[in-house]
Amino acid sequence: DAGVIQSPRHEVTEMGQEVTLRCKPISGHDYLFWYRQTMMRGLELLIYFNNNVPIDDSGMPEDRFSAKMPNASFSTLKIQPSEPRDSAVYFCASSPTGGGGYTFGSGTRLTVV
Amino acid sequence: QKEVEQNSGPLSVPEGAIASLNCTYSDRGSQSFFWYRQYSGKSPELIMFIYSNGDKEDGRFTAQLNKASQYVSLLIRDSQPSDSATYLCAGYGGSQGNLIFGKGTKLSVKP
C-alpha cells in the first residue's frame, strides 16, 4: 500500500485566496483525520470522518474552513478565504476500526502571504 | 477537557545512554497509548503502542504504562544520534478513533 497520500506537498498563496488540500487514505481504513501542526500549538485535530461521515468538527477554527469526504478514497480540506495565521503544516491521517493508531500522510506545508 | 501532557524538552542525552520520555494523561477512561516519532520536517511515525499495565519491549524501545498513576513512558536504550527527533505521546479519548496528542518532547542524542 502506498500509505496516506496528500497533495500538494507545499502551497504558497496570497491572503484571501482559496486553498484546497487533498488526501487519499489507506484503502480499508474507516477513519480519516485532518490535523494542523504549528510550533506553538502542536498537533490540533480539525475534523474527523468515520465511513465518510463527519463525526467531530469542533476543531475547525472558523467558518473559513470546510472539509468533505465524498467517498472512501478521497477527502478535501478547504480554506476560503485564507489568512496568514492559517500558515501551518496540515496532516491527513487514517486508521482502521478498532484502533491501532493512525498512519499519517506526508503533510502539506501551507504558507499564506 | 481530555489532555495528554509532555515535557517539551529539549532532552539531551549522550550516545549510548538511556533516554526516558514521559507522558501523563487526564482521562482515566483511556485504554491505549501510542508513541510517535517525528523527524524535523517529516510526518509522525508510529513506533510503539501499549494497552496493558506494565512494560512492552520492542528492540531498543520499551513502553511503560501505569494506569493507576495515569502515566506512560518510553525508554530508548543505547540511544543513537539517529534517534534525535520529537516524540509524541497519544491516548484514545472520547469516542472511538479519536487520539489525543501531547505537544511532544524533543530529544537530542549527542555523539
Side-chain angles (χ1 to χ4, degrees), chain A residues 31 33 35 37 40-43 45 48 56 91 97-102 104-106 109, chain B residues 34 36 38 41-46 49 51 88 92 95-103:
Chain A
Y31 286 85
F33 306 84
Y35 280 88
Q37 188 176 41
M40 289 295 293
R41 301 173 70 92
L43 266 176
L45 177 65
Y48 77 95
D56 184 353
F91 288 107
T97 297
Y102 301 172
F104 282 82
S106 54
R109 182 174 294 276
Chain B
F34 301 81
Y36 284 80
Q38 186 175 23
K42 302 295 186 182
S43 59
E45 170 195 16
L46 180 64
F49 61 89
Y51 300 144
L88 301 166
Y92 272 110
S95 53
Q96 169 76 13
N98 182 23
L99 270 180
I100 308 296
F101 282 87
K103 286 187 166 54

Side-chain angles (χ1 to χ4, degrees), chain B residues 66-86:
Chain B
N66 183 326
K67 291 186 179 180
S69 300
Q70 297 178 245
Y71 180 86
V72 190
S73 65
L74 179 70
L75 302 179
I76 306 175
R77 290 181 300 281
D78 188 24
S79 296
Q80 301 297 310
S82 59
D83 295 325
S84 298
T86 295

